[in-house]
Amino acid sequence: MARKATNNLLQKAKKSKNDEFYTQLSDIEKELQYYKSHFENKIVYCNCDDPYTSNFFKYFVSNFEELRLKKVIAACCAEKGFFAEYAGEKIAVSYFKGDGDFRSAESITLLKQSDIVVTNPPFSLFREYVAQLVEYQKQFLIIGNINAITYKEIFKLIQENKAWLGIHLGRGISGFIVPQHYELYGTEARIDASGNRIVSPNNCLWLTNLDNFKRHEDIVLTKNYFGNENNYPQYDNYNGIHIDKTENIPSDYTGYMGVPITFLHKFNPNQFEIVKFRKGDNEKDLSINGKYPYFRILVRNKRYPLVNC
């Protein structure tokens, strides 16, 4: 019930375009520790961040020398938008002529100057936000809702190995700071020692195109298909078997398999090929005996030659 309530809060925010979920410094530090080698002599742009309050900007300013950054920029969308730049000496604040929205020409000018974008963008604009990063060929490390995996634009990037999941997702992201007017739903909602109001939807992830160790680790396969065929039902409308959990992927099956979307958190592109999302040969949702399981990703093990099963 608690998770359902906090998910409802995110849905309400999306519908009202109220995207004021701010990332905690602890969660930023926990994820960014795995990417430090990417930042040397780079300009980082946090283009959805008030530099006075953003923990992303705080993180990069505090770790400027350790990361050997060239510059960090944070831009805020407001009635009178503004941005701050830090190159190792002092923070310089400037004002946009417009509102500073990430889609504005002024913000895009800063984007073009930058190398890596790191932020928590508005969830209601996630598709549009990622499309802009792709258009301008930027490296990025951003937070989104787990359901973003199911967006065809995002899934295509993952399938083409142009983006992948970060290290932490779900409960690995401990919660977001919300304004005073937000209701605190669920048993995991709290007010921290600094007075910040925290909600923990437990359904978010990091999306990135910065390399990390996790995507090079094989999924350890301990199950067998042959001899246990009843545990792996065939789809009605696709030549493949249904996998209920990633941990149950068999080591001896050479054909197509439908795995849960959380498989992507452990996906190694050298071990598996992503074939298709959700649909069977008739372009309808994958089904088993006329019933439709939750969204599945069709994959195959690249370590074995493909044979008919």
Side-chain angles (χ1 to χ4, degrees), residues 10 27 29 39 44 63-64 97 103 122 124 135 143 153 171 181 190 224 228-229 246 248 261 267 275 287 291 296:
L10 283 179
D27 285 326
E29 292 172 334
F39 289 97
V44 174
N63 294 277
F64 192 87
K97 293 180 180 178
R103 297 162 292 187
S124 64
E135 178 183 357
I143 293 180
E153 303 90 343
R171 280 184 163 79
H181 63 276
R190 62 196 183 277
N224 293 316
N228 300 284
E229 290 87 349
T246 299
N248 290 334
I261 60 174
F267 171 53
V275 179
S287 64
K291 297 182 179 180
R296 283 298 186 269

PDB file of all heavy atoms in Angstrom, residues 10 27 29 39 44 63-64 97 103 122 124 135 143 153 171 181 190 224 228-229 246 248 261 267 275 287 291 296:
ATOM      1  N   LEU A  10       3.553  10.236  -7.715  1.00  0.00           N
ATOM      2  CA  LEU A  10       4.307  10.552  -8.928  1.00  0.00           C
ATOM      3  C   LEU A  10       3.368  10.714 -10.121  1.00  0.00           C
ATOM      4  O   LEU A  10       3.572  11.572 -10.970  1.00  0.00           O
ATOM      5  CB  LEU A  10       5.338   9.458  -9.208  1.00  0.00           C
ATOM      6  CG  LEU A  10       6.600   9.481  -8.357  1.00  0.00           C
ATOM      7  CD1 LEU A  10       7.514   8.314  -8.732  1.00  0.00           C
ATOM      8  CD2 LEU A  10       7.349  10.791  -8.516  1.00  0.00           C
ATOM      9  N   ASP A  27      22.277  10.092  -2.561  1.00  0.00           N
ATOM     10  CA  ASP A  27      22.019   9.259  -3.730  1.00  0.00           C
ATOM     11  C   ASP A  27      22.919   9.643  -4.895  1.00  0.00           C
ATOM     12  O   ASP A  27      23.334   8.785  -5.683  1.00  0.00           O
ATOM     13  CB  ASP A  27      20.551   9.357  -4.143  1.00  0.00           C
ATOM     14  CG  ASP A  27      19.626   8.582  -3.223  1.00  0.00           C
ATOM     15  OD1 ASP A  27      20.049   7.527  -2.721  1.00  0.00           O
ATOM     16  OD2 ASP A  27      18.492   9.035  -2.995  1.00  0.00           O
ATOM     17  N   GLU A  29      25.985  10.945  -4.595  1.00  0.00           N
ATOM     18  CA  GLU A  29      27.322  10.436  -4.251  1.00  0.00           C
ATOM     19  C   GLU A  29      27.409   8.934  -4.469  1.00  0.00           C
ATOM     20  O   GLU A  29      28.430   8.422  -4.956  1.00  0.00           O
ATOM     21  CB  GLU A  29      27.637  10.774  -2.793  1.00  0.00           C
ATOM     22  CG  GLU A  29      27.814  12.256  -2.536  1.00  0.00           C
ATOM     23  CD  GLU A  29      27.944  12.591  -1.061  1.00  0.00           C
ATOM     24  OE1 GLU A  29      27.431  11.805  -0.224  1.00  0.00           O
ATOM     25  OE2 GLU A  29      28.542  13.632  -0.745  1.00  0.00           O
ATOM     26  N   PHE A  39      35.034  12.298 -16.046  1.00  0.00           N
ATOM     27  CA  PHE A  39      34.819  13.737 -15.910  1.00  0.00           C
ATOM     28  C   PHE A  39      36.068  14.603 -16.095  1.00  0.00           C
ATOM     29  O   PHE A  39      35.956  15.829 -16.116  1.00  0.00           O
ATOM     30  CB  PHE A  39      34.191  14.033 -14.548  1.00  0.00           C
ATOM     31  CG  PHE A  39      32.766  13.568 -14.442  1.00  0.00           C
ATOM     32  CD1 PHE A  39      32.453  12.355 -13.856  1.00  0.00           C
ATOM     33  CD2 PHE A  39      31.739  14.332 -14.964  1.00  0.00           C
ATOM     34  CE1 PHE A  39      31.142  11.913 -13.768  1.00  0.00           C
ATOM     35  CE2 PHE A  39      30.422  13.913 -14.889  1.00  0.00           C
ATOM     36  CZ  PHE A  39      30.122  12.693 -14.290  1.00  0.00           C
ATOM     37  N   VAL A  44      30.458  19.996 -17.238  1.00  0.00           N
ATOM     38  CA  VAL A  44      29.230  19.325 -16.812  1.00  0.00           C
ATOM     39  C   VAL A  44      28.094  20.348 -16.781  1.00  0.00           C
ATOM     40  O   VAL A  44      28.255  21.458 -16.262  1.00  0.00           O
ATOM     41  CB  VAL A  44      29.401  18.689 -15.418  1.00  0.00           C
ATOM     42  CG1 VAL A  44      28.072  18.130 -14.914  1.00  0.00           C
ATOM     43  CG2 VAL A  44      30.458  17.593 -15.460  1.00  0.00           C
ATOM     44  N   ASN A  63      33.421  18.518  -5.423  1.00  0.00           N
ATOM     45  CA  ASN A  63      34.361  17.507  -5.915  1.00  0.00           C
ATOM     46  C   ASN A  63      35.080  17.960  -7.185  1.00  0.00           C
ATOM     47  O   ASN A  63      35.606  17.127  -7.935  1.00  0.00           O
ATOM     48  CB  ASN A  63      33.613  16.200  -6.176  1.00  0.00           C
ATOM     49  CG  ASN A  63      33.074  15.568  -4.909  1.00  0.00           C
ATOM     50  OD1 ASN A  63      33.785  14.868  -4.202  1.00  0.00           O
ATOM     51  ND2 ASN A  63      31.806  15.836  -4.623  1.00  0.00           N
ATOM     52  N   PHE A  64      35.114  19.263  -7.384  1.00  0.00           N
ATOM     53  CA  PHE A  64      35.655  19.822  -8.630  1.00  0.00           C
ATOM     54  C   PHE A  64      37.099  19.372  -8.878  1.00  0.00           C
ATOM     55  O   PHE A  64      37.444  18.913  -9.975  1.00  0.00           O
ATOM     56  CB  PHE A  64      35.572  21.352  -8.575  1.00  0.00           C
ATOM     57  CG  PHE A  64      35.820  22.018  -9.896  1.00  0.00           C
ATOM     58  CD1 PHE A  64      34.781  22.218 -10.785  1.00  0.00           C
ATOM     59  CD2 PHE A  64      37.094  22.444 -10.260  1.00  0.00           C
ATOM     60  CE1 PHE A  64      35.001  22.840 -12.011  1.00  0.00           C
ATOM     61  CE2 PHE A  64      37.320  23.052 -11.476  1.00  0.00           C
ATOM     62  CZ  PHE A  64      36.266  23.240 -12.359  1.00  0.00           C
ATOM     63  N   LYS A  97      17.678  35.862 -20.691  1.00  0.00           N
ATOM     64  CA  LYS A  97      16.652  36.810 -21.113  1.00  0.00           C
ATOM     65  C   LYS A  97      15.264  36.177 -20.959  1.00  0.00           C
ATOM     66  O   LYS A  97      14.285  36.866 -20.707  1.00  0.00           O
ATOM     67  CB  LYS A  97      16.887  37.224 -22.568  1.00  0.00           C
ATOM     68  CG  LYS A  97      18.153  38.042 -22.787  1.00  0.00           C
ATOM     69  CD  LYS A  97      18.315  38.411 -24.246  1.00  0.00           C
ATOM     70  CE  LYS A  97      19.587  39.226 -24.464  1.00  0.00           C
ATOM     71  NZ  LYS A  97      19.799  39.572 -25.890  1.00  0.00           N
ATOM     72  N   ARG A 103      14.608  23.594 -22.919  1.00  0.00           N
ATOM     73  CA  ARG A 103      14.310  23.617 -24.349  1.00  0.00           C
ATOM     74  C   ARG A 103      14.563  24.977 -24.990  1.00  0.00           C
ATOM     75  O   ARG A 103      14.479  25.109 -26.222  1.00  0.00           O
ATOM     76  CB  ARG A 103      12.847  23.207 -24.572  1.00  0.00           C
ATOM     77  CG  ARG A 103      12.535  21.791 -24.131  1.00  0.00           C
ATOM     78  CD  ARG A 103      11.053  21.550 -23.961  1.00  0.00           C
ATOM     79  NE  ARG A 103      10.511  22.314 -22.826  1.00  0.00           N
ATOM     80  CZ  ARG A 103       9.277  22.193 -22.360  1.00  0.00           C
ATOM     81  NH1 ARG A 103       8.460  21.310 -22.925  1.00  0.00           N
ATOM     82  NH2 ARG A 103       8.855  22.906 -21.337  1.00  0.00           N
ATOM     83  N   PRO A 122      12.575  16.757 -15.495  1.00  0.00           N
ATOM     84  CA  PRO A 122      11.142  16.573 -15.235  1.00  0.00           C
ATOM     85  C   PRO A 122      10.644  15.245 -15.800  1.00  0.00           C
ATOM     86  O   PRO A 122      10.807  14.969 -16.984  1.00  0.00           O
ATOM     87  CB  PRO A 122      10.500  17.768 -15.970  1.00  0.00           C
ATOM     88  CG  PRO A 122      11.602  18.757 -16.148  1.00  0.00           C
ATOM     89  CD  PRO A 122      12.854  17.977 -16.289  1.00  0.00           C
ATOM     90  N   SER A 124       7.718  14.283 -16.428  1.00  0.00           N
ATOM     91  CA  SER A 124       6.649  14.456 -17.412  1.00  0.00           C
ATOM     92  C   SER A 124       7.190  14.817 -18.789  1.00  0.00           C
ATOM     93  O   SER A 124       6.470  14.709 -19.779  1.00  0.00           O
ATOM     94  CB  SER A 124       5.678  15.545 -16.942  1.00  0.00           C
ATOM     95  OG  SER A 124       6.322  16.802 -16.873  1.00  0.00           O
ATOM     96  N   GLU A 135      19.951  14.324 -29.767  1.00  0.00           N
ATOM     97  CA  GLU A 135      20.108  15.229 -30.902  1.00  0.00           C
ATOM     98  C   GLU A 135      21.452  15.949 -30.867  1.00  0.00           C
ATOM     99  O   GLU A 135      22.114  16.103 -31.906  1.00  0.00           O
ATOM    100  CB  GLU A 135      18.973  16.263 -30.912  1.00  0.00           C
ATOM    101  CG  GLU A 135      19.081  17.278 -32.033  1.00  0.00           C
ATOM    102  CD  GLU A 135      17.997  18.336 -31.998  1.00  0.00           C
ATOM    103  OE1 GLU A 135      17.101  18.238 -31.117  1.00  0.00           O
ATOM    104  OE2 GLU A 135      18.034  19.275 -32.832  1.00  0.00           O
ATOM    105  N   ILE A 143      18.257  10.788 -13.932  1.00  0.00           N
ATOM    106  CA  ILE A 143      17.295   9.972 -13.190  1.00  0.00           C
ATOM    107  C   ILE A 143      15.947   9.981 -13.902  1.00  0.00           C
ATOM    108  O   ILE A 143      15.495  11.025 -14.385  1.00  0.00           O
ATOM    109  CB  ILE A 143      17.139  10.496 -11.747  1.00  0.00           C
ATOM    110  CG1 ILE A 143      18.424  10.279 -10.962  1.00  0.00           C
ATOM    111  CG2 ILE A 143      15.984   9.793 -11.037  1.00  0.00           C
ATOM    112  CD1 ILE A 143      18.360  10.759  -9.531  1.00  0.00           C
ATOM    113  N   GLU A 153      10.945   5.195 -27.456  1.00  0.00           N
ATOM    114  CA  GLU A 153      12.138   5.974 -27.775  1.00  0.00           C
ATOM    115  C   GLU A 153      13.309   5.587 -26.880  1.00  0.00           C
ATOM    116  O   GLU A 153      14.458   5.525 -27.329  1.00  0.00           O
ATOM    117  CB  GLU A 153      11.856   7.473 -27.618  1.00  0.00           C
ATOM    118  CG  GLU A 153      10.702   7.997 -28.450  1.00  0.00           C
ATOM    119  CD  GLU A 153       9.358   7.916 -27.722  1.00  0.00           C
ATOM    120  OE1 GLU A 153       9.245   7.180 -26.713  1.00  0.00           O
ATOM    121  OE2 GLU A 153       8.419   8.610 -28.171  1.00  0.00           O
ATOM    122  N   ARG A 171      14.897   0.669  -4.823  1.00  0.00           N
ATOM    123  CA  ARG A 171      15.268   1.086  -3.471  1.00  0.00           C
ATOM    124  C   ARG A 171      16.722   1.541  -3.375  1.00  0.00           C
ATOM    125  O   ARG A 171      17.146   2.044  -2.334  1.00  0.00           O
ATOM    126  CB  ARG A 171      14.978  -0.036  -2.471  1.00  0.00           C
ATOM    127  CG  ARG A 171      13.527  -0.101  -2.074  1.00  0.00           C
ATOM    128  CD  ARG A 171      13.243  -1.143  -1.000  1.00  0.00           C
ATOM    129  NE  ARG A 171      11.954  -0.899  -0.374  1.00  0.00           N
ATOM    130  CZ  ARG A 171      10.790  -1.236  -0.895  1.00  0.00           C
ATOM    131  NH1 ARG A 171      10.766  -1.846  -2.075  1.00  0.00           N
ATOM    132  NH2 ARG A 171       9.662  -0.974  -0.268  1.00  0.00           N
ATOM    133  N   HIS A 181       4.183  21.794  -0.038  1.00  0.00           N
ATOM    134  CA  HIS A 181       2.792  21.561  -0.427  1.00  0.00           C
ATOM    135  C   HIS A 181       2.540  20.134  -0.901  1.00  0.00           C
ATOM    136  O   HIS A 181       1.407  19.760  -1.175  1.00  0.00           O
ATOM    137  CB  HIS A 181       2.359  22.549  -1.516  1.00  0.00           C
ATOM    138  CG  HIS A 181       3.121  22.430  -2.809  1.00  0.00           C
ATOM    139  ND1 HIS A 181       4.331  23.053  -3.008  1.00  0.00           N
ATOM    140  CD2 HIS A 181       2.842  21.748  -3.946  1.00  0.00           C
ATOM    141  CE1 HIS A 181       4.765  22.786  -4.233  1.00  0.00           C
ATOM    142  NE2 HIS A 181       3.884  21.998  -4.817  1.00  0.00           N
ATOM    143  N   ARG A 190       9.206  10.603   5.037  1.00  0.00           N
ATOM    144  CA  ARG A 190       9.826  11.049   6.291  1.00  0.00           C
ATOM    145  C   ARG A 190      10.275  12.495   6.174  1.00  0.00           C
ATOM    146  O   ARG A 190      10.301  13.074   5.095  1.00  0.00           O
ATOM    147  CB  ARG A 190      11.036  10.156   6.608  1.00  0.00           C
ATOM    148  CG  ARG A 190      12.128  10.215   5.549  1.00  0.00           C
ATOM    149  CD  ARG A 190      13.113   9.063   5.682  1.00  0.00           C
ATOM    150  NE  ARG A 190      14.220   9.140   4.723  1.00  0.00           N
ATOM    151  CZ  ARG A 190      14.151   8.710   3.478  1.00  0.00           C
ATOM    152  NH1 ARG A 190      13.017   8.191   3.007  1.00  0.00           N
ATOM    153  NH2 ARG A 190      15.211   8.791   2.676  1.00  0.00           N
ATOM    154  N   ASN A 224      18.274 -24.781 -15.674  1.00  0.00           N
ATOM    155  CA  ASN A 224      18.255 -25.569 -16.903  1.00  0.00           C
ATOM    156  C   ASN A 224      16.848 -25.601 -17.477  1.00  0.00           C
ATOM    157  O   ASN A 224      15.865 -25.754 -16.738  1.00  0.00           O
ATOM    158  CB  ASN A 224      18.731 -27.000 -16.642  1.00  0.00           C
ATOM    159  CG  ASN A 224      20.195 -27.061 -16.268  1.00  0.00           C
ATOM    160  OD1 ASN A 224      21.032 -26.401 -16.882  1.00  0.00           O
ATOM    161  ND2 ASN A 224      20.517 -27.858 -15.258  1.00  0.00           N
ATOM    162  N   ASN A 228      13.077 -29.298 -17.381  1.00  0.00           N
ATOM    163  CA  ASN A 228      12.200 -28.413 -16.590  1.00  0.00           C
ATOM    164  C   ASN A 228      11.299 -27.594 -17.507  1.00  0.00           C
ATOM    165  O   ASN A 228      10.957 -26.450 -17.208  1.00  0.00           O
ATOM    166  CB  ASN A 228      13.041 -27.469 -15.724  1.00  0.00           C
ATOM    167  CG  ASN A 228      13.934 -28.196 -14.754  1.00  0.00           C
ATOM    168  OD1 ASN A 228      13.470 -28.706 -13.735  1.00  0.00           O
ATOM    169  ND2 ASN A 228      15.222 -28.264 -15.069  1.00  0.00           N
ATOM    170  N   GLU A 229      10.924 -28.183 -18.636  1.00  0.00           N
ATOM    171  CA  GLU A 229      10.166 -27.443 -19.646  1.00  0.00           C
ATOM    172  C   GLU A 229       8.857 -26.858 -19.106  1.00  0.00           C
ATOM    173  O   GLU A 229       8.407 -25.801 -19.569  1.00  0.00           O
ATOM    174  CB  GLU A 229       9.864 -28.354 -20.844  1.00  0.00           C
ATOM    175  CG  GLU A 229      11.083 -28.706 -21.679  1.00  0.00           C
ATOM    176  CD  GLU A 229      11.824 -29.928 -21.156  1.00  0.00           C
ATOM    177  OE1 GLU A 229      11.517 -30.381 -20.011  1.00  0.00           O
ATOM    178  OE2 GLU A 229      12.693 -30.439 -21.876  1.00  0.00           O
ATOM    179  N   THR A 246      14.506 -12.812 -13.825  1.00  0.00           N
ATOM    180  CA  THR A 246      15.809 -12.835 -14.476  1.00  0.00           C
ATOM    181  C   THR A 246      16.670 -13.977 -13.945  1.00  0.00           C
ATOM    182  O   THR A 246      17.393 -14.630 -14.705  1.00  0.00           O
ATOM    183  CB  THR A 246      16.535 -11.491 -14.270  1.00  0.00           C
ATOM    184  OG1 THR A 246      15.748 -10.438 -14.863  1.00  0.00           O
ATOM    185  CG2 THR A 246      17.913 -11.490 -14.902  1.00  0.00           C
ATOM    186  N   ASN A 248      15.905 -16.805 -13.249  1.00  0.00           N
ATOM    187  CA  ASN A 248      15.483 -18.104 -13.761  1.00  0.00           C
ATOM    188  C   ASN A 248      15.794 -18.303 -15.238  1.00  0.00           C
ATOM    189  O   ASN A 248      15.335 -19.276 -15.856  1.00  0.00           O
ATOM    190  CB  ASN A 248      13.982 -18.306 -13.516  1.00  0.00           C
ATOM    191  CG  ASN A 248      13.664 -18.486 -12.044  1.00  0.00           C
ATOM    192  OD1 ASN A 248      14.506 -18.936 -11.269  1.00  0.00           O
ATOM    193  ND2 ASN A 248      12.470 -18.099 -11.642  1.00  0.00           N
ATOM    194  N   ILE A 261      11.279  -6.561 -17.521  1.00  0.00           N
ATOM    195  CA  ILE A 261      12.013  -5.346 -17.886  1.00  0.00           C
ATOM    196  C   ILE A 261      13.161  -5.060 -16.920  1.00  0.00           C
ATOM    197  O   ILE A 261      14.135  -4.396 -17.289  1.00  0.00           O
ATOM    198  CB  ILE A 261      11.076  -4.121 -17.992  1.00  0.00           C
ATOM    199  CG1 ILE A 261      10.366  -3.830 -16.679  1.00  0.00           C
ATOM    200  CG2 ILE A 261      10.075  -4.308 -19.115  1.00  0.00           C
ATOM    201  CD1 ILE A 261       9.548  -2.540 -16.700  1.00  0.00           C
ATOM    202  N   PHE A 267      21.719  -6.402 -17.679  1.00  0.00           N
ATOM    203  CA  PHE A 267      21.994  -6.694 -19.086  1.00  0.00           C
ATOM    204  C   PHE A 267      23.444  -6.423 -19.466  1.00  0.00           C
ATOM    205  O   PHE A 267      23.968  -5.326 -19.284  1.00  0.00           O
ATOM    206  CB  PHE A 267      21.052  -5.862 -19.955  1.00  0.00           C
ATOM    207  CG  PHE A 267      21.353  -5.884 -21.420  1.00  0.00           C
ATOM    208  CD1 PHE A 267      21.480  -7.085 -22.107  1.00  0.00           C
ATOM    209  CD2 PHE A 267      21.499  -4.690 -22.118  1.00  0.00           C
ATOM    210  CE1 PHE A 267      21.742  -7.103 -23.465  1.00  0.00           C
ATOM    211  CE2 PHE A 267      21.769  -4.695 -23.471  1.00  0.00           C
ATOM    212  CZ  PHE A 267      21.884  -5.904 -24.149  1.00  0.00           C
ATOM    213  N   VAL A 275      16.084  -8.481 -28.677  1.00  0.00           N
ATOM    214  CA  VAL A 275      15.463  -8.734 -29.972  1.00  0.00           C
ATOM    215  C   VAL A 275      14.256  -7.833 -30.214  1.00  0.00           C
ATOM    216  O   VAL A 275      14.103  -7.234 -31.276  1.00  0.00           O
ATOM    217  CB  VAL A 275      15.046 -10.215 -30.078  1.00  0.00           C
ATOM    218  CG1 VAL A 275      14.360 -10.498 -31.411  1.00  0.00           C
ATOM    219  CG2 VAL A 275      16.267 -11.119 -29.894  1.00  0.00           C
ATOM    220  N   SER A 287       1.410 -13.425 -25.288  1.00  0.00           N
ATOM    221  CA  SER A 287       0.376 -14.081 -24.489  1.00  0.00           C
ATOM    222  C   SER A 287       0.747 -15.541 -24.242  1.00  0.00           C
ATOM    223  O   SER A 287       1.485 -16.158 -25.021  1.00  0.00           O
ATOM    224  CB  SER A 287      -0.985 -14.003 -25.177  1.00  0.00           C
ATOM    225  OG  SER A 287      -0.973 -14.711 -26.409  1.00  0.00           O
ATOM    226  N   LYS A 291      -3.591 -15.517 -22.011  1.00  0.00           N
ATOM    227  CA  LYS A 291      -3.393 -14.523 -20.959  1.00  0.00           C
ATOM    228  C   LYS A 291      -2.130 -13.705 -21.241  1.00  0.00           C
ATOM    229  O   LYS A 291      -1.171 -14.216 -21.811  1.00  0.00           O
ATOM    230  CB  LYS A 291      -3.305 -15.209 -19.597  1.00  0.00           C
ATOM    231  CG  LYS A 291      -4.581 -15.934 -19.200  1.00  0.00           C
ATOM    232  CD  LYS A 291      -4.442 -16.562 -17.815  1.00  0.00           C
ATOM    233  CE  LYS A 291      -5.730 -17.273 -17.417  1.00  0.00           C
ATOM    234  NZ  LYS A 291      -5.630 -17.893 -16.068  1.00  0.00           N
ATOM    235  N   ARG A 296       7.214  -7.883 -21.405  1.00  0.00           N
ATOM    236  CA  ARG A 296       8.423  -8.691 -21.472  1.00  0.00           C
ATOM    237  C   ARG A 296       9.320  -8.192 -22.604  1.00  0.00           C
ATOM    238  O   ARG A 296       8.847  -7.668 -23.611  1.00  0.00           O
ATOM    239  CB  ARG A 296       8.092 -10.176 -21.708  1.00  0.00           C
ATOM    240  CG  ARG A 296       7.588 -10.915 -20.465  1.00  0.00           C
ATOM    241  CD  ARG A 296       8.653 -10.922 -19.394  1.00  0.00           C
ATOM    242  NE  ARG A 296       8.333 -11.720 -18.211  1.00  0.00           N
ATOM    243  CZ  ARG A 296       7.723 -11.249 -17.137  1.00  0.00           C
ATOM    244  NH1 ARG A 296       7.292 -10.007 -17.099  1.00  0.00           N
ATOM    245  NH2 ARG A 296       7.535 -12.028 -16.079  1.00  0.00           N
TER     246      ARG A 296
END
